[in-house]
Amino acid sequence: MNHNNISQRIAKVELDESTILWRNADIEQERRIAIFDLIEDNIFEPQKSYADDYAGPYNLQLSVQEGRLIWDIRTQDDEQLETLIFGLARFRRPIKDYFAICDSYYLAIRKSTAAEIETIDMARRAIHNEAAELLIERLSGKINVDFATARRLFTLICVLHIKG
């Protein structure tokens, strides 16, 4: 990937608020951190050619509609460039596993030893990493992202799936 072109990145990311029902403060914090980290440092290179050779930076709106993940890619002036729609079937298991391990992690932080927390955190990172690889694979040919960007995007996809 071309890390030199700083315009090939996400400048702003929004989650469709209507798809999210906040579960707790921990998840809200995950969302804030993921968005902050994503905006600070990301590689986002759509493979489609856009009008006027537009090549970023991009505004990204993520939502879930009828079990599908909608990627609304826009210019910084908020003009729509393209909408990608992905089925979420392959992400259901990683999302479920990620939430289960996050719940364990948040409980552990409050009650467990450092060693127990470390073990849970390693498992959480492993699930997160596998999901990031899956996301990179799903985006292949459509959008090039680096590993760190894919991890942060997966966190945001998870946040969109919180249902009370």
Side-chain angles (χ1 to χ4, degrees):
M1 275 179 248
N2 177 7
H3 294 265
N4 302 331
N5 186 350
I6 57 168
S7 68
Q8 292 273 279
R9 64 181 194 77
I10 299 168
K12 179 177 163 191
V13 64
E14 291 176 23
L15 304 183
D16 177 5
E17 299 295 328
S18 70
T19 349
I20 307 168
L21 301 174
W22 302 125
R23 190 158 70 177
N24 60 35
D26 293 317
I27 298 294
E28 173 60 9
Q29 181 66 4
E30 291 266 322
R31 180 190 70 87
R32 272 197 303 270
I33 291 168
I35 288 175
F36 178 83
D37 288 348
L38 185 66
I39 300 307
E40 282 296 295
D41 181 30
N42 71 79
I43 305 289
F44 189 84
E45 301 174 343
Q47 298 304 289
K48 190 173 186 178
S49 293
Y50 298 125
D52 301 326
D53 291 326
Y54 189 85
Y58 302 96
N59 289 351
L60 176 64
Q61 294 174 333
L62 294 173
S63 62
V64 174
Q65 296 167 16
E66 296 168 10
R68 292 193 294 276
L69 180 65
I70 313 296
W71 300 65
D72 188 12
I73 303 169
R74 299 174 166 268
T75 67
Q76 262 198 304
D77 297 330
D78 233 23
E79 290 175 39
Q80 186 163 25
L81 293 168
E82 109 178 86
T83 300
L84 299 175
I85 301 171
F86 292 102
L88 283 164
R90 293 181 64 197
F91 289 98
R92 282 200 175 77
R93 165 67 67 198
I95 288 168
K96 190 169 161 264
D97 291 349
Y98 184 69
F99 277 128
I101 202 87
C102 282
D103 287 344
S104 299
Y105 179 72
Y106 297 134
L107 285 172
I109 287 174
R110 295 174 179 98
K111 298 180 179 150
S112 301
T113 66
E116 289 168 328
I117 293 169
E118 181 64 25
T119 301
I120 292 168
D121 195 43
M122 284 171 58
R124 182 172 82 136
R125 275 198 303 267
I127 290 167
H128 210 153
N129 290 347
E130 285 171 31
E133 295 289 352
L134 178 62
L135 187 56
I136 289 169
E137 187 185 304
R138 286 292 283 125
L139 291 173
S140 178
K142 295 173 179 68
I143 304 170
N144 285 338
V145 294
D146 66 338
F147 187 71
T149 301
R151 285 191 89 222
R152 293 168 185 142
L153 287 168
F154 176 72
T155 301
L156 297 177
I157 291 166
C158 285
V159 169
L160 284 171
H161 276 77
I162 297 166
K163 296 290 182 196

